Amino acid sequence: MTCTIEQRVMRKITLRIVPFIMLLYFIAFLDRVNIGFAALTMNEELGFSPAVFGFGAGIFFLGYFLFEVPSNLILHKVGARIWIARVMITWGLVSGAMAFVQGTTSFYTLRFLLGVAEAGFFPGIILYLSYWFPAQKRAQVTAIFMAAAPISTALGSPVSAALLEMHGLMGFSGWQWMFVLEAVPAVILGVMVLFWLTDRPEKARWLSDEERGWLMATLERENAAKQATAQHSVWKGLLDKRVLALSLVYFGTSAGLYTLGIWSPQIIKTLGISSMAVGLLNAVPAVIAVCAMVLWARHSDKTGERPWHVIGACVLAAVGLFMAGNAASVVGVIFALTVVNCGISASKPPLWSMPTLFLSGSAAAAGIATINSLGNLGGFVGPFMIGLIKQQTGSYAWGLWFVAGLLILSSLVVLWLSASSRKARASGTLIQPKHQ
């Protein structure tokens, strides 16, 4: 059967771009949350309390918050190739430097600097995908890209646990070896970005003239169609109430995601099993979450529906966190964490398909970065509150239930946003067209 030009172009750009950016996100997420495995031995060695660890793990997102919007605006100006390369190389160097943490001050400082270094990467990729993929394909492509996060947990958990076993080699602790060895790929890939990524379709010499022309014309038609309602200026992107609402939604999902990434190894460890067993068990929920994410995003694209796909996933994750707070066996904890992983992962692609429906140009760069930077503050609040509550109560339960409450709040905000969009349709301002 002869392929249409659309099928041919989509296949080409998917194969060229998506596997590579998945690899980038795989390493980014690994370097962001490997602190959870380091904690299995580092906390005792350096004398970190749960509150100190939770604050240090979460302070990453304060640096991320402060530099996210400027970073994404620079990417929009100078191009993805140069800026993403810069991001990766600097975060690799800072992540490796985590091996030399001596106490709370250096711990807090390096985690903050890691957030500064990585700021702009994720929203930059989301913006980059909007340069290449039509809106109706974006949720599924975003899902495939974002599957790198649970895949990173699935593959990275046993690897991180194995690296902890290098304790004592050449006089270094296992957690120090883990930080150094897991940082090296970020620097190498940062250099590779300069040679592999193409900034825009018009520069894609790996597409034929016909294919390049079709893609540029398709994307231009989309942009023209939303000219009447889309907002373009940086300030509109920063201050649009829908952007602020989506930031609050993302806050809850980020609190859930990084509660899992940073605390789940220690939660599993409380069941009295070895670090290697923790690594293997922590991979199970992530593997299942990959499948749930892709299938949920495919259904969202097929039906053209976004809000209820986000709401349903957030509620599922909240239920899983309530279950995790009550679970007392290995099977119960892993099942509950699987439910949380599936809900958190599935919520992301339909959520990230929404901003570029009503923002474009510099506003899209600023709006996406705003959602990510404000929303990722949940990555500070969630892990920090887990540690603080654990120190006060001796249990993870109340902290997990607190994060579940944030996810319920996220679902209620999406419900409000959906109702607002129905009213906006009547006046011609669309956030949620029937087919996306």
Side-chain angles (χ1 to χ4, degrees):
M1 183 181 292
T2 305
C3 290
T4 65
I5 187 169
E6 177 181 2
Q7 292 171 324
R8 195 163 71 244
V9 173
M10 287 299 101
R11 182 164 59 245
K12 270 193 177 183
I13 62 176
T14 299
L15 291 175
R16 171 81 184 195
I17 294 172
V18 175
F20 186 68
I21 62 172
M22 280 185 72
L23 181 59
L24 302 185
Y25 191 39
F26 177 97
I27 298 300
F29 196 80
L30 182 64
D31 287 346
R32 195 182 288 185
V33 301
N34 58 9
I35 190 74
F37 272 92
L40 296 178
T41 56
M42 179 186 72
N43 284 4
E44 184 177 355
E45 192 172 316
L46 298 180
F48 291 165
S49 68
V52 166
F53 173 75
F55 182 81
I59 202 174
F60 168 95
F61 295 100
L62 296 184
Y64 207 87
F65 165 72
L66 292 172
F67 289 88
E68 187 84 330
V69 173
S71 182
N72 220 35
L73 290 173
I74 293 172
L75 181 146
H76 184 65
K77 268 188 169 296
V78 307
R81 186 176 61 90
I82 292 173
W83 197 246
I84 290 175
R86 191 286 305 164
V87 168
M88 295 200 62
I89 291 169
T90 53
W91 104 47
L93 294 174
V94 177
S95 183
M98 284 290 298
F100 304 103
V101 166
Q102 298 293 318
T104 55
T105 301
S106 55
F107 180 45
Y108 293 163
T109 301
L110 284 173
R111 283 294 292 180
F112 178 82
L113 290 176
L114 185 62
V116 172
E118 198 181 323
F121 172 76
F122 180 82
I125 293 292
I126 296 297
L127 181 65
Y128 183 68
L129 291 175
S130 74
Y131 297 159
W132 290 90
F133 291 92
Q136 66 177 10
K137 304 287 185 183
R138 217 166 284 155
Q140 194 168 328
V141 171
T142 303
I144 296 170
F145 159 62
M146 293 186 67
I151 291 172
S152 180
T153 300
L155 299 180
S157 292
V159 169
S160 295
L163 292 177
L164 292 179
E165 300 300 317
M166 295 177 67
H167 184 78
L169 181 64
M170 298 176 62
F172 291 101
S173 298
W175 61 269
Q176 293 176 302
W177 280 112
M178 186 199 72
F179 279 129
V180 170
L181 294 178
E182 291 185 348
V184 171
V187 178
I188 295 172
L189 287 169
V191 176
M192 289 179 62
V193 165
L194 294 170
F195 300 96
W196 189 257
L197 284 190
T198 306
D199 285 328
R200 297 274 191 161
E202 52 266 34
K203 297 181 179 180
R205 300 303 163 209
W206 40 272
L207 292 175
S208 69
D209 290 343
E210 180 191 21
E211 291 165 343
R212 193 163 52 250
W214 177 88
L215 180 59
M216 291 168 63
T218 299
L219 294 171
E220 184 137 356
R221 279 196 302 273
E222 272 192 5
N223 287 331
K226 64 179 181 181
Q227 286 295 316
T229 59
Q231 299 184 12
H232 310 278
S233 76
V234 171
W235 288 109
K236 290 289 181 66
L238 289 171
L239 300 176
D240 189 290
K241 69 177 182 180
R242 296 166 294 189
V243 167
L244 298 177
L246 289 174
S247 299
L248 184 56
V249 176
Y250 198 52
F251 184 96
T253 63
S254 294
L257 177 65
Y258 293 107
T259 290
L260 287 175
I262 291 169
W263 283 104
S264 61
Q266 293 180 74
I267 292 172
I268 298 170
K269 182 73 172 175
T270 60
L271 299 171
I273 57 180
S274 69
S275 294
M276 196 63 219
V278 170
L280 294 172
L281 287 172
N282 197 53
V284 174
V287 171
I288 298 171
V290 172
C291 302
M293 172 189 280
V294 174
L295 291 174
W296 198 239
R298 185 177 298 172
H299 187 267
S300 179
D301 275 347
K302 184 178 179 181
T303 60
E305 201 285 324
R306 306 301 189 202
W308 283 104
H309 281 79
V310 179
I311 292 168
C314 287
V315 170
L316 180 67
V319 169
L321 285 166
F322 277 111
M323 292 166 56
N326 289 312
S329 67
V330 173
V331 173
V333 168
I334 298 304
F335 178 76
L337 293 177
T338 300
V339 173
V340 181
N341 266 275
C342 288
I344 293 292
S345 297
S347 71
K348 303 284 188 174
L351 173 59
W352 279 116
S353 297
M354 297 173 73
T356 52
L357 295 172
F358 57 89
L359 297 171
S360 65
S362 295
I368 291 169
T370 299
I371 293 167
N372 200 55
S373 60
L374 288 174
N376 264 313
L377 288 176
F380 169 73
V381 172
F384 173 59
M385 290 302 294
I386 294 282
L388 187 63
I389 294 171
K390 169 68 164 61
Q391 186 162 317
Q392 296 297 321
T393 66
S395 168
Y396 289 107
W398 284 101
L400 294 171
W401 296 339
F402 170 80
V403 177
L406 294 179
L407 281 159
I408 294 297
L409 177 61
S410 290
S411 65
L412 292 174
V413 173
V414 178
L415 193 61
W416 169 81
L417 198 55
S418 178
S420 296
S421 72
R422 285 196 297 271
K423 294 179 182 177
R425 268 196 288 271
S427 62
T429 305
L430 297 178
I431 183 175
Q432 188 76 1
K434 185 177 179 181
H435 297 289
Q436 299 159 12

